[in-house]
Amino acid sequence: DHRQVLRCWNALKRSDRAPTISLAQAVESMQRFKKDSSFVVRELKAFFKKYPVECGANGINDLLESLAKRLDSDLVEQVIEMMPSMGLKPDQRTYEILLTMQFTTRNFTEVRTLLSTMQSRGISLTTRSTIVAVKAALKTASFEEATRHFSQLKALWSGLSDGATPSTAPRHIVTQLVELACREHQLGEFLPLLEGVPVSEDAVSSMLSECIRRKDPALTSKVEKLVREQGHQLSDATYTLLVKSASNDPGRVQQLFDEVVAKGAILSADFALALLAFCTQTRSMKLADSLFEHMKPKQIPVLSAFIRFYADSEQNEKACDVYEKHLQCLRMSGTAKGDGQPLQQAVCLDARIERSLMSAALRCGRHDLAKNFLDASPSDVAKHITMIRNCAASGNLIGAMKVFETLKSSGTEVNSVVYNTVLDACVECRDLPAAEAWMAQTKSIGLVDVVSYNTLIKAHLQNLNFAKARSLMEEMRSECLQPNRVTFNELVNGLVTRGSPAQRAEIWGIIKEMKAAGVKPNQVTCSILLKSLNAHSNEADILETMDLISAMDEPMDEVLLSSVVEACVRIGKPDLLAQKLKQLHNTDKMSVSGSHTFGSLIKAYGHAKDIDGVWRCWKEMRSRHIRPTSITLGCMVEAVVSNGDTEGAYDLIHQMKEDDRCRDALNAVIYCSVLKGFTREKKMQRVMTVYEEMLNRKVDLSIVTYNTLLDACARCGRMDKAPEIVTEMKSQGIQPNLITYSTMVKGHCQAGDIERGFAMLEEMKNETRLKPDEIMYNSLLDGCAQNNLVDEGLGLLRRMEEEGVAPSNFTLSLLVKLMNRCRKLDSAFSLVQEISAKYRFSPNVHVYSNLIQACVANRQLQRGMTTFSNMLEERVRPESRTYAILVRASITQNQCDQAAGLIRGALGLPGAQPYISEQKTSLAAVNDLDYNLIAETLQGLADKGRVQDLAVPLMSDIKRLQPGLRLDTGLQRRVMSAGLATEAGGVQMTHQKSEHSSYGGSPAFGGRPSNGGNRQNQNRFGNSNNRSDNRSWRS
């Protein structure tokens, strides 16, 4: 009762004795009654003046803490300014409160200022303040500040007597410190600070990965010593990293292997592949044999690696035995045509391993095996209206008509609403002739109105008859009925959703007609127009739509705000969204009155990547004492996570957990946002920490929670945890759904365990009524592509089609990838043609890029260029990867003119012909061409001796026509140096060239073929791209 609180507060002014009250609660009541900060400060000053005994640091700090939790920085600053007049100075706790508040709002500059002030005034940091200082340094990537504050934190722990030690340090902070040290290449300097501080498995992985990158065995030893001294149980991933880091120490690798074997641990594919890589490097046959004997591998990637190792080591019998006795005998867990019979499928190896195996078979006399490989490769109106609508919803138009006749025969007066309801039923049942007949009947009795016309217009729009819809509008006017907002909005919506490109061009003409009729566009109009915008929309249309929103009389509601956000994201213009939000912030167009509206704004700022705007909205909402709902809090957490600050979102959850008024807003969905953030960052331990907290707090877990946990297992390569998670899920009474199985299939396929992926498919089929969808089939197809299982992949495609699951472009790109790996280029093109024609969709850029990649891999660059031309003919815009494949292949095959022409086409520069036709120049240009590809091309042209005629003109045109693309100075210097070297060589060879000019500058006489010589050669042999011709000229 804030009114009563203020009455009591005023009564206290007449009391002579100092009362014992909570100033924080009194101030909150003043703010609830809209008292501004200056009023609150005056009241506080008067209170302390009358009761000096109450003027103590503890009371002030309690007040500040309450204000800081609400992020009321304005009042906090005024209270701080008031303290000197009362003879008080900010102390340790005061600064701790201020630091926490500024860090919460991510104001790191102010955090640094406060820390500097404390240092200059000789005020030491508390444990909590030091942790905030460490976190702030981590967020700003300041390694020096982070280590300094962490050292202070350790010193604080050692001086405490309450049992606090470095072991109580939040492990995620230690992990982030380790990651920052690795990024800054300061791990060696940071390691001593970790003595006595427990480190997580993620931190250990980061440290060992840094040791491998630096190739520093001494640093590896220090990290390993630190881990073992802390009593860590080394995981399989840790052993894998230790093996990789000890690549030059056979004795140490043998010790690690013996240690793993002694523990009886199940060896993972990653560990086996790391050990085999070491065996290949050191020719350690004994260790490889021991690994194979102990592991008895069944994973296809591991068996393939053993085959390659034995073949390369000339252990031909062993290589053939592994293939015939182990790899070839693997049974896939599929069934043929649903008859339940197991399939015995041949395993297709990649080209290199197959060649090695064929050689091994021939060398050891297994000619049949070699031959197999060779052969394999060729009476109440309202009630009646409701009944009519129900009949229409179920498609029963006859029933709707009977209801109308019943109403009419009852003698009740039937008005236009009833007639319009029947008309709407005709439209709902898609019976246009019945609708037109009913309209004529309605018109004959004089009950037709604007609603009648709008309903019939909607029917014609559904049938794509835009001309008839427009003629009905003219008919309305002839009947003295003016089209209203609904009329125009229906017409615009029809054009947006169903119109052809030519018809959609009429949209802005209709908007002008709408304004001329005195009908102002409203929120619905703007939402429809926003729906029409996409990445290919005209800039003028985008700006006109935004201007229309600004010109609206009514304030923007949350639906329209969401449409603005989605449109800006869809067209790829976060800067436009940020501009619109700034404009709304400076006007009163957006009515911000409740938690839901703040949630929409927070979501919008999050999409615009404006994290300051996100925190500004949150701070304003909290300072106005608006309690966040679960939706608002969810928007806030999601916005912070999506902007890369998952730890900050997790901290916010903990702050809400400590707030009595906000604790109830926390739910499983909010926790899931943080789970997904840590999953994307591949931080498995943090994922499990959040999950354990959810269990401890007895949060209602859902299938989404467990699917997110399984996704974390898949992304982090920890599918060994998946069975335990599924068991816990079932113990909670939650049954796996299609996403659950799809996620596990994807995880097993990514881990190289394709057999387990097929087993999950059969388990789902046998134990549930779920049917696999396209995503699950695509995951299995991807696994088949990774393991070169062409027969299984094509079998999956057949099964997919038999079960009525239509393939998509993603499916097609995976099939091309599979055919490429198995060197079946013609089959890849045939599949693309057959499937796209059968399911009536056009191949997208990813399918074309994979086809081009397959052509290059099969040494058919000219076919890849033809595919590129077809791609442009089909008006499919290339991506950066498309050009990377073609340009690199062209340089490798010494087709420098083609490489330079392709780069020119990608950048929209002149001179791309004949490789890109002039009509396709704008379509061929890409906005996000990889800079490294440009640098690589210029360097490649220089290395091939094509500086003056290709590299320098290309570099000059880039600088002149693409000023936004800055070429590295070092690259320019290298290219020009190569050009000068070429010129110098040309001066020395001038006499020779003139003496032998009749030979066209033949290399046999010490020169490089001139352009004319090349042209003569092309005319003579008829193919400038023939590799044998190029070789003959070079020889």
Side-chain angles (χ1 to χ4, degrees), residues 880-896:
S880 181
R881 174 173 170 254
T882 315
Y883 283 107
I885 296 167
L886 288 170
V887 170
R888 286 172 178 146
S890 299
I891 291 177
T892 301
Q893 298 188 24
N894 209 27
Q895 298 190 29
C896 298

Side-chain angles (χ1 to χ4, degrees), residues 178-187 203-217 219-220 241 244-245 247:
V178 168
E179 290 172 351
L180 180 59
C182 293
R183 286 199 303 271
E184 299 294 325
H185 306 297
Q186 300 287 334
L187 181 58
V204 174
S205 297
S206 297
M207 290 190 286
L208 289 175
S209 298
E210 174 67 8
C211 295
I212 294 168
R213 281 192 295 270
R214 294 172 60 172
K215 299 180 180 179
D216 190 340
L219 186 58
T220 303
L241 291 170
K244 289 180 180 179
S245 62
S247 57

Side-chain angles (χ1 to χ4, degrees), residues 5-13 21 23 26-27 30-31 35-51 63 75 78 82 86:
V5 170
L6 292 182
R7 286 174 180 169
C8 293
W9 173 263
N10 290 325
L12 284 175
K13 297 176 182 178
I21 63 168
L23 284 177
V27 168
M30 294 180 199
Q31 291 180 318
K35 304 299 183 184
D36 58 18
S37 300
S38 58
F39 175 85
V40 174
V41 172
R42 284 198 305 272
E43 289 293 302
L44 291 172
K45 284 182 178 179
F47 177 80
F48 288 126
K49 183 176 181 181
K50 183 163 187 177
Y51 306 114
L63 173 60
L75 188 51
Q78 293 190 42
M82 180 184 74
M86 300 184 296

Side-chain angles (χ1 to χ4, degrees), residues 867-926:
T867 305
F868 178 70
S869 298
N870 294 340
M871 175 182 182
L872 295 177
E873 287 296 329
E874 295 296 327
R875 303 205 60 77
V876 177
R877 186 181 296 276
E879 60 183 356
S880 181
R881 174 173 170 254
T882 315
Y883 283 107
I885 296 167
L886 288 170
V887 170
R888 286 172 178 146
S890 299
I891 291 177
T892 301
Q893 298 188 24
N894 209 27
Q895 298 190 29
C896 298
D897 295 280
Q898 181 170 286
L902 287 168
I903 287 292
R904 286 180 173 277
L907 293 172
L909 301 176
Q913 297 80 19
Y915 311 105
I916 298 171
S917 65
E918 191 171 352
Q919 294 80 9
K920 300 294 187 297
T921 303
S922 60
L923 178 66
V926 295

Side-chain angles (χ1 to χ4, degrees), residues 36 365 433 502 598 612 631 687 698-699 1001:
D36 58 18
F598 272 111
D612 292 334
I631 295 174
V687 169
K698 297 182 179 178
V699 177

